[in-house]
Amino acid sequence: MGPGDLAPVRDMVSLFSRADQRHGGGHARTAVVQYLVSDVSPMLRGHFTDARVRREMVSAAAELSYLSGWMAFDNGEHAVAQHYFTLAVSLAAEADDPPLAGHVLRAMAHQAVDLGHPREAVRLASAAVEGQRYASAAPRERALLGIVHARALAAAGQRRAAATWLVRAEDDLAAADAGDDEPGRVFFFSEASLAHETARALAATGDLAGAQREFRRSVRTRKASTFTRTHAVTLGYLGAVQARRGAIEEACVTWSRALGAMEGIHSARTRRIATDMRSALSPMRGRGVSAVAELDRRAATYLAESA
């Protein structure tokens, strides 16, 4: 196999990545796994024209394994996600691709934060920014590794260290340029993504005003038609922060937008937002507030249809 065999695999990684961003991890995850197992894995056992081509094919397989894990994570299949993440780290090491290994470790840290394991999240996020995983990464990818490190530190109560990494991530993203030689896997990471993760870190430290500001920046700067799943998630988190700050009417407006964006999304994270929304609204259900009743009905419908 030669360089021409790499292009179709990379095209499929890009196709599946964009489908995940628009429709959620529950939409085509089994198709990604099938492609990895039936098409790409046999290629790794074939003959290559040179060692470089083989390394690049192993990297492509690692990205597919990472994507299988990420989509499983997004769909709430956490043990499956950890299996594919672990495989992806192993393949990245075989391909001698430190930034890709860092990318996957960052995803594992993200999962650990969301599952409420801050110490494990810090361990994984620290590994993601260690040595060449961070140093040899493109600026955009460094920003991604750094912002998740900040989130993990914030979740673990290490506010000062988290603040340092928040600033570093901002600086790294500011250094990214359209002409950079950066991997396609970071196509999604932009100002909107950085603002979203910054908001989550600030919320973890109790800075709700700062979290609200950053969630609003994320909503304002994201291309919602392309990154629909994350847009819906951001709106859901923004509504939750507004409700915690006592602005329940404002939260209802935001949650209504979130539910609108969730249409057609298959993601455990959006389902969790709809569930949390119903819990937050439950004290007001019996008060005859039509907006609350309508939101509750829509959230219940979404949960039933996306199950």
Side-chain angles (χ1 to χ4, degrees):
M1 278 178 282
D5 295 293
L6 286 166
V9 178
R10 288 171 173 160
D11 286 348
M12 291 302 291
V13 173
S14 177
L15 176 69
F16 285 131
S17 296
R18 282 163 171 75
D20 167 64
Q21 287 288 338
R22 289 193 65 185
H23 305 297
H27 178 65
R29 192 187 69 76
T30 56
V32 178
V33 172
Q34 186 66 31
Y35 181 63
L36 172 64
V37 172
S38 299
D39 293 80
V40 178
S41 291
M43 292 182 188
L44 301 182
R45 297 189 291 271
H47 175 73
F48 291 86
T49 55
D50 58 55
R52 180 190 61 81
V53 174
R54 186 182 187 283
R55 283 197 304 273
E56 291 190 22
M57 185 64 81
V58 174
S59 282
E63 289 207 35
L64 270 172
S65 184
Y66 152 74
L67 185 58
S68 298
W70 181 260
M71 294 173 80
F73 158 57
D74 184 63
N75 203 41
E77 302 170 73
H78 293 295
V80 173
Q82 288 168 358
H83 167 76
Y84 283 107
F85 285 152
T86 301
L87 175 60
V89 171
S90 177
L91 288 168
E94 182 180 342
D96 192 23
D97 192 340
L100 176 54
H103 190 89
V104 182
L105 288 164
R106 172 276 319 174
M108 297 173 78
H110 189 144
Q111 181 187 36
V113 171
D114 281 13
L115 292 178
H117 305 301
R119 291 178 63 183
E120 177 67 2
V122 170
R123 184 185 72 81
L124 290 164
S126 297
V129 297
E130 186 178 76
Q132 290 302 306
R133 292 171 187 155
Y134 178 86
S136 63
R140 189 178 308 278
E141 190 151 49
R142 289 203 301 269
L144 173 58
L145 303 183
I147 195 63
V148 174
H149 194 199
R151 269 198 66 195
L153 291 164
Q158 299 181 42
R159 297 182 64 168
R160 182 172 296 181
T164 297
W165 277 96
L166 286 174
V167 172
R168 182 176 293 186
E170 287 274 3
D171 290 344
D172 280 335
L173 187 59
D177 186 84
D180 287 344
D181 181 18
E182 61 185 28
R185 61 180 173 264
V186 295
F187 78 98
F188 69 92
F189 194 74
S190 62
E191 179 186 358
S193 304
L194 183 72
H196 174 101
E197 299 298 345
T198 299
R200 306 250 10 232
L202 293 175
T205 65
D207 182 1
L208 296 185
Q212 178 172 287
R213 181 189 67 246
E214 292 300 315
F215 278 136
R216 282 176 169 162
R217 176 164 72 113
S218 183
V219 169
R220 186 177 66 251
T221 56
R222 179 175 287 111
K223 187 177 180 180
S225 61
T226 301
F227 305 105
T228 314
R229 186 262 319 280
T230 309
H231 184 64
V233 170
T234 304
L235 285 167
Y237 289 146
L238 173 58
V241 167
Q242 290 167 335
R244 287 174 64 186
R245 300 189 76 204
I248 194 65
E249 291 183 4
E250 190 176 18
C252 285
V253 172
T254 301
W255 278 333
S256 180
R257 292 176 64 193
L259 287 169
M262 286 179 198
E263 186 174 348
I265 302 292
H266 293 275
S267 165
R269 287 188 286 171
T270 53
R271 290 193 295 271
R272 176 62 182 270
I273 283 168
T275 299
D276 290 348
M277 184 189 310
R278 296 192 76 201
S279 295
L281 293 172
S282 61
M284 292 172 284
R285 277 185 197 149
R287 299 182 186 177
V289 181
S290 59
V292 169
E294 176 63 10
L295 269 180
D296 188 61
R297 182 195 66 77
R298 289 175 61 196
T301 299
Y302 172 73
L303 288 168
E305 291 179 347
S306 64

